[in-house]
Amino acid sequence: MTRRAPFIVVEGLDRSGKSTQASILCDHLTSLGLPVELFKFPDRRTAIGKMIDSYLRSESDLDDRAIHLLFSANRWELASTISSHLEKGTTIIADRYAFSGIAFSARKGLSYKWCQAPDVGLPAPDLTMFLDIEPDIAQARGGYGTERYEQEEVQRDVRQVFERIEKEMTHAGARWVKIDAGRTQKEVSQDVWVHVQSILDSVHHPVGTLWEEPQEGTLGSIVKV
Ligand code: DGP
């Protein structure tokens, strides 16, 4: 039986260096001869992703709940692909995931539980690394762009919701680590690698599901908050 590969999520505020770190990690695993795929959420290439892209660029407006559900649907579009890659031994790195979904929508005033609900049942990560940075330091790194959420006060609120998510995930037994992303790229990637190495040989079948009640007779890393 092929060994199941780990599912690794990199989360963080805008400009925390998360895409760079996800890509460094992907290259590192590849250089070791491990099969790996990098997914970026939102995936703006799909039909749903194009609607999200237009919303983020403020070219269209959508009800807060409607856009929340689209972000979630964009993850569901890839859920079975993620699971089947993992089962076949390909490591998955996701640049953002359901946690961004909760953080960016709950800061608008939507209920935390409501924001969590559409993502219940998605493949659960084996490791989530949150790249933490002070929003003013993030902004000083060449400035935010022009997209909808790229403002310091939005990022501050989002960071607070991430703190709640971290508490709840850790309490539920998930592997969630906070990494100081205000340091050099090399220092951060070294830390990322230490955490990834610690889980490489410790993932179990089957792939867990996010926030779902365990069903009778089901084994695995079920992460319920
Ligand atoms: P990025 O391509 O990583 O810069 O992400 C684009 C923006 O979309 C970023 O400001 C964070 C936001 N975002 C990512 N995922 C979600 C989500 O699931 N829900 C909401 N509301 N926003 C999200």
Side-chain angles (χ1 to χ4, degrees):
M1 191 188 200
T2 316
R3 217 166 72 188
R4 208 261 285 174
F7 179 20
I8 300 162
V9 167
V10 185
E11 281 280 9
L13 301 184
D14 291 4
R15 294 243 154 226
S16 59
K18 130 196 97 40
S19 299
T20 305
Q21 291 298 335
S23 147
I24 291 173
L25 176 60
C26 184
D27 291 347
H28 193 160
L29 289 166
T30 306
S31 73
L32 296 176
L34 296 170
V36 53
E37 291 280 339
L38 174 59
F39 288 84
K40 180 165 171 53
F41 291 109
D43 180 345
R44 304 186 192 215
R45 298 166 303 176
T46 68
I48 294 170
K50 289 191 172 94
M51 291 168 76
I52 294 172
D53 182 57
S54 150
Y55 172 83
L56 287 171
R57 291 168 188 272
S58 302
E59 289 165 8
S60 62
D61 239 332
L62 278 170
D63 175 81
D64 289 343
R65 286 180 175 78
I67 185 64
H68 181 76
L69 296 173
L70 288 179
F71 272 107
S72 175
N74 187 237
R75 288 183 282 274
W76 277 108
E77 290 186 285
L78 285 164
S80 58
T81 309
I82 290 176
S83 297
S84 78
H85 273 311
L86 295 172
E87 295 293 358
K88 286 182 191 141
T90 300
T91 298
I92 298 293
I93 303 169
D95 174 355
R96 290 198 191 278
Y97 200 50
F99 314 108
S100 277
I102 300 176
F104 281 85
S105 290
R107 68 116 344 228
K108 296 175 178 170
L110 299 182
S111 115
Y112 184 98
K113 289 287 168 198
W114 189 90
C115 294
Q116 190 181 41
D119 288 316
V120 169
L122 278 175
D126 299 293
L127 170 69
T128 304
M129 292 176 285
F130 177 71
L131 300 194
D132 190 40
I133 191 162
E134 289 288 343
D136 53 337
I137 296 177
Q139 175 148 39
R141 284 183 166 178
Y144 292 129
T146 52
E147 288 203 340
R148 199 178 273 265
Y149 301 130
E150 294 180 326
Q151 297 156 37
E152 201 179 317
E153 79 267 19
V154 172
Q155 301 290 322
R156 276 196 194 286
D157 294 349
V158 166
R159 191 176 186 219
Q160 273 190 358
V161 187
F162 268 118
E163 276 169 20
R164 172 169 176 188
I165 299 171
E166 176 184 354
K167 276 199 196 96
E168 300 203 358
M169 292 301 289
T170 308
H171 184 253
R175 266 187 121 113
W176 177 289
V177 293
K178 181 148 75 179
I179 292 178
D180 175 3
R183 297 170 299 160
T184 65
Q185 192 173 295
K186 191 161 178 208
E187 285 169 320
V188 177
S189 64
Q190 280 169 345
D191 247 19
V192 164
W193 183 241
V194 167
H195 291 295
V196 170
Q197 263 184 319
S198 75
I199 57 123
L200 276 184
D201 294 320
S202 62
V203 296
H204 304 286
H205 283 280
V207 178
T209 51
L210 212 45
W211 300 313
E212 212 158 43
E213 294 284 351
Q215 284 163 17
E216 233 164 273
T218 308
L219 297 170
S221 58
I222 288 162
V223 177
K224 182 183 172 296
V225 173

